[in-house]
Amino acid sequence: MHMVATPNRKMQRVLQASMVLTFAYVVATFVFGLRAHSLALISEAGHNLSDLFAILLSFVAVYFQSRPATDQKTFGYQRAGVLAAFVNAVTLVVLSAWIAIEAIHRLAAPVQVQPRLMMYVAAAGVLMNGTIALLLWRFSGDVNIRSVFLHMLGDTLSTAAVIIGGAAILFTGMVWIDPVLSIIIALMILWSSISIIRETLNILLEGTPRSVQLIAVREAMQSVSGVIDVHDLHVWSLGSHSHALASHVTIDERPMSECADILNGLNKTLHDRFHITHTTIQFETTGCETTHGCSSPPELEAVGAHDHHHHHGHSHSH
């Protein structure tokens, strides 16, 4: 137990430090963005705010993952981070739209910016985002942390773009560069937000995980020795990296003691190939067509086998 807790605590410390640094930089970019009249810097504050939320979500996820399930929350708190990510992403879509509208106004009525101040603040941002990305990189084996690492890496690049923009304004005097940069940053925020919305909605609507093909799961289960047919198959996500499965499995008649081997084989295949950790499998045997709760053997069924199975799966309670 102690072995698991230590990397978790280290991860939480890194995430806490990242949150403090990012929050300080959000305030700095916003205040100096107003001072320098730079919409690109203000957009950068918005972009960094998205990073702050991403780090906060990872922190919450790391915390909640260690909390046990209860009688009220039988799956634990795995969806809390998903729900927060969805709300966060919707907020960011609104933010990116506001930045784009402001930028269009700026293009129509140019405002004089202070490129030197833009460059100084952005340079501090590159340093900070780069440092956080480096700290997180050590833990990037954890997929939750890897998503934040990529977020910070993208932010380091967009902040570097503000420095280049500041230099271009300084040498050419073309102030339209600033709103154009902010539109590019707004598009980056929008692009990352929409992918988060799609992913979280799929989880909240109990969709099949994007990394899992239902046909492949069915074939893998049917390849286990003793399994004749798999139907009423459902796969869904509990959290962003935790998958569950429920299914009816037809097996040939055999002593009860041998059924455990089939179940172990199914669970091992599902865990090793698809990272499915929570399974509910109901066995049905051939030669019991008349018994309620069993499906007729596949060889006795007509063309509409799938329809029959699917209907059967929902026609009785278990």
Side-chain angles (χ1 to χ4, degrees):
M1 189 70 195
H2 183 70
M3 293 291 284
V4 175
T6 312
N8 253 12
R9 274 204 296 272
K10 275 186 185 168
M11 215 183 280
Q12 283 181 315
R13 275 203 295 273
V14 168
L15 290 169
Q16 278 171 326
S18 304
M19 275 193 284
V20 171
L21 284 171
T22 307
F23 180 71
Y25 186 63
V26 166
V27 174
T29 41
F30 185 71
V31 170
F32 286 111
L34 291 174
R35 289 265 302 272
H37 307 294
S38 168
L39 192 60
L41 267 189
I42 295 169
S43 324
E44 215 24 58
H47 197 182
N48 277 278
L49 196 61
S50 75
D51 286 345
L52 186 62
F53 276 120
I55 298 167
L56 184 64
L57 284 176
S58 280
F59 182 74
V60 168
V62 169
Y63 169 71
F64 275 121
Q65 274 163 11
S66 61
R67 292 194 66 179
T70 65
D71 286 354
Q72 284 72 38
K73 302 279 187 294
T74 54
F75 279 122
Y77 294 82
Q78 299 183 60
R79 287 260 171 100
V82 176
L83 187 61
F86 174 72
V87 174
N88 168 23
V90 171
T91 311
L92 290 173
V93 168
V94 175
L95 178 76
S96 60
W98 175 78
I99 291 169
I101 292 163
E102 279 296 305
I104 292 161
H105 285 313
R106 282 278 180 104
L107 284 169
V111 175
Q112 204 58 45
V113 297
Q114 294 177 29
R116 284 181 198 279
L117 190 54
M118 266 177 77
M119 289 165 75
Y120 293 148
V121 179
V126 168
L127 201 66
M128 185 212 67
N129 287 323
T131 305
I132 294 173
L134 206 64
L135 283 170
L136 293 171
W137 183 69
R138 288 174 51 212
F139 297 102
S140 62
D142 183 290
V143 75
N144 169 24
I145 303 296
R146 197 183 312 142
S147 64
V148 185
F149 164 70
L150 292 171
H151 222 97
M152 299 309 292
L153 198 63
D155 216 49
T156 308
L157 299 174
S158 75
T159 318
V162 176
I163 300 177
I164 297 163
I169 295 167
L170 196 63
F171 293 118
T172 64
M174 295 178 185
V175 288
W176 57 263
I177 292 171
D178 182 70
V180 166
L181 265 179
S182 60
I183 288 173
I184 293 166
I185 295 168
L187 287 172
M188 282 178 68
I189 299 171
L190 187 66
W191 182 72
S192 60
S193 302
I194 286 173
S195 68
I196 294 170
I197 287 173
R198 281 176 58 196
E199 193 178 333
T200 51
L201 259 186
N202 189 50
I203 294 170
L204 294 170
L205 294 174
E206 309 264 294
T208 302
R210 283 196 293 182
S211 59
V212 174
Q213 295 293 320
L214 210 59
I215 295 169
V217 174
R218 184 179 273 111
E219 285 173 356
M221 288 174 76
Q222 285 175 345
S223 71
V224 172
S225 178
V227 173
I228 293 169
D229 179 51
V230 173
H231 55 277
D232 198 21
L233 176 63
H234 305 274
V235 181
W236 69 99
S237 297
L238 300 171
S240 50
H241 312 295
S242 170
H243 309 318
L245 173 144
S247 178
H248 288 195
V249 174
T250 309
I251 58 172
D252 47 18
E253 284 204 72
R254 58 179 64 212
M256 198 68 183
S257 56
E258 290 178 26
C259 293
D261 294 337
I262 300 177
L263 191 60
N264 289 338
L266 285 167
N267 281 328
K268 189 177 187 319
T269 301
L270 292 168
H271 181 273
D272 295 351
R273 284 190 55 185
F274 306 101
H275 307 293
I276 294 170
T277 50
H278 183 92
T279 62
T280 305
I281 294 168
Q282 180 176 320
F283 281 154
E284 299 167 357
T285 56
T286 55
C288 63
E289 306 89 276
T290 54
T291 311
H292 183 66
C294 284
S295 85
S296 51
E299 63 269 17
L300 297 181
E301 286 179 359
V303 182
H306 177 75
D307 292 339
H308 167 81
H309 276 150
H310 193 73
H311 174 74
H312 155 82
H314 292 283
S315 64
H316 70 276
S317 58
H318 37 271

